[in-house]
Amino acid sequence: MRQEEIEQALKNKEIKVYLQPQVDLHTEKIVGAESLVRWEKDSAIIPPNEFIPFCEQTGYITQIDHYVLETVCSFIQKWKKKIPIAVNESRRHLYNPHHIEDLQRTVEKYEVEAKYIELEMTETAVVHDIKMAKEAERRVHALGFKVAMDDFGTGYSSFSMLREIQIDILKIDKSFVDEVTQDRRGKIIIEAIIQMAKRLEMITIAEGIETKEQAQYLKTIGCDIAQGYYYAFPIPIEKFERRYLA
Ligand code: G
Ligand code: MN
């Protein structure tokens, strides 16, 4: 991948914001969504794992994340019945002193209350410089943003981060969900995670739900919200709006 390709893609607006619904396991209603980028290139769709790592190395991720937040805010502004939207925060941002001001400026520009934006972080950002991560968390919370821990349980996000940083939403990684209906050990672990999350007053979101059995099980153990292909695929934000919020 070359830098010019990414620059072209950004300029030509080939990088698109998709939203994947998040469903309340008890009411089955859509209570939120996660924004995910897709690169629509010559009628093919390039998934984020093929270009996000490159953008993180080169710094283009800052532009991408800013573009996603702008897009999301411009949509939320129009919605009569607003739902919170999660945006993925690259670890690069924690080290950028202007980033939090940028977050604030963007929500103000679109007159969106910060509580509608959930900032998803992974552990890699935090272990690198815990003092800075704590400071970032304190500042975004003071502005009213919600903080979510992404991929919980994968090694990118785990217990040390939970101890250090105040998290509102815990996103349980797909790898735990995958075998949860067969694997006895996996069940014990996921049940313990949900119990702990409740006591720490965090909302739990299970990621990568693909079957009815998984949804059923997660509901019985008290998980709050589910996200996955069983409910809905990520779709372009315009389509999401038409389908779910019209
Ligand atoms: O790391 P993060 O959780 O932000 O990444 C979410 C990714 O997982 C997205 O690319 C999304 O399209 C994908 N995804 C979402 N739901 C499912 C699912 O049910 N199954 C699979 N295999 N992937 C999913
Ligand atoms: Mn995520």
Side-chain angles (χ1 to χ4, degrees):
M1 188 152 303
R2 291 173 302 116
Q3 305 224 5
E4 301 88 84
E5 285 183 84
I6 297 289
E7 268 170 30
Q8 277 309 114
L10 282 163
K11 210 174 98 211
N12 300 339
K13 304 240 184 280
E14 288 166 17
I15 295 185
K16 295 274 163 55
V17 178
Y18 279 49
L19 292 184
Q20 183 173 34
Q22 296 172 334
V23 176
D24 183 313
L25 276 163
H26 296 272
T27 63
E28 306 233 320
K29 291 213 167 77
I30 292 174
V31 289
E34 177 177 3
S35 56
L36 297 158
V37 285
R38 297 289 182 265
W39 182 357
E40 292 181 357
K41 195 180 186 212
D42 317 320
S43 71
I45 294 179
I46 306 176
N49 58 341
E50 286 177 30
F51 64 95
I52 293 294
F54 177 81
C55 293
E56 288 194 324
Q57 281 159 28
T58 50
Y60 287 107
I61 195 70
T62 310
Q63 276 181 66
I64 292 178
D65 285 358
H66 180 80
Y67 169 70
V68 171
L69 183 65
E70 282 253 358
T71 307
V72 163
C73 287
S74 71
F75 275 80
I76 295 178
Q77 185 183 34
K78 299 186 280 170
W79 296 340
K80 267 209 261 341
K81 197 179 169 306
K82 300 187 194 310
I83 56 169
I85 305 294
V87 298
N88 290 284
E89 284 285 289
S90 158
R91 67 197 187 94
R92 270 188 169 257
H93 300 318
L94 285 174
Y95 304 101
N96 173 1
H98 304 298
H99 177 60
I100 294 171
E101 288 161 33
D102 189 51
L103 292 175
Q104 184 183 14
R105 246 196 323 275
T106 309
V107 292
E108 281 173 359
K109 175 175 167 192
Y110 293 97
E111 300 170 307
V112 169
E113 282 179 81
K115 67 174 183 187
Y116 289 114
I117 303 295
E118 298 170 356
L119 305 169
E120 290 194 4
M121 301 186 186
T122 55
E123 191 185 35
T124 26
V126 175
V127 290
H128 202 75
D129 188 338
I130 189 75
K131 258 181 77 183
M132 206 130 158
K134 267 184 166 169
E135 179 60 15
E137 174 260 311
R138 197 190 57 74
R139 291 177 63 199
V140 296
H141 268 141
L143 292 168
F145 290 97
K146 299 286 181 205
V147 176
M149 190 197 287
D150 207 0
D151 306 328
F152 183 73
T154 58
Y156 295 111
S157 294
S158 65
F159 295 103
S160 59
M161 180 165 160
L162 284 188
R163 201 181 56 220
E164 299 288 350
I165 291 194
Q166 203 195 307
I167 302 284
D168 307 297
I169 298 142
L170 192 66
K171 298 196 74 179
I172 300 164
D173 191 67
K174 179 178 183 307
S175 57
F176 282 99
V177 172
D178 281 344
E179 300 194 12
V180 84
T181 49
Q182 295 117 40
D183 178 17
R184 193 181 76 90
R185 298 171 70 88
K187 273 187 181 152
I188 294 168
I189 293 168
I190 207 167
E191 285 175 26
I193 292 172
I194 286 166
Q195 287 311 310
M196 172 192 68
K198 280 195 193 305
R199 292 192 60 189
L200 292 172
E201 293 170 339
M202 296 184 288
I203 290 171
T204 46
I205 302 184
E207 293 190 290
I209 309 294
E210 293 181 345
T211 68
K212 190 177 176 183
E213 290 69 36
Q214 289 168 345
Q216 208 82 55
Y217 175 71
L218 287 157
K219 186 178 157 184
T220 59
I221 63 170
C223 182
D224 301 306
I225 296 170
Q227 179 182 339
Y229 296 168
Y230 172 64
Y231 290 104
F233 294 104
I235 53 173
I237 191 165
E238 300 81 9
K239 214 169 163 183
F240 180 95
E241 180 181 66
R242 262 182 273 128
R243 186 175 297 175
Y244 300 113
L245 295 162

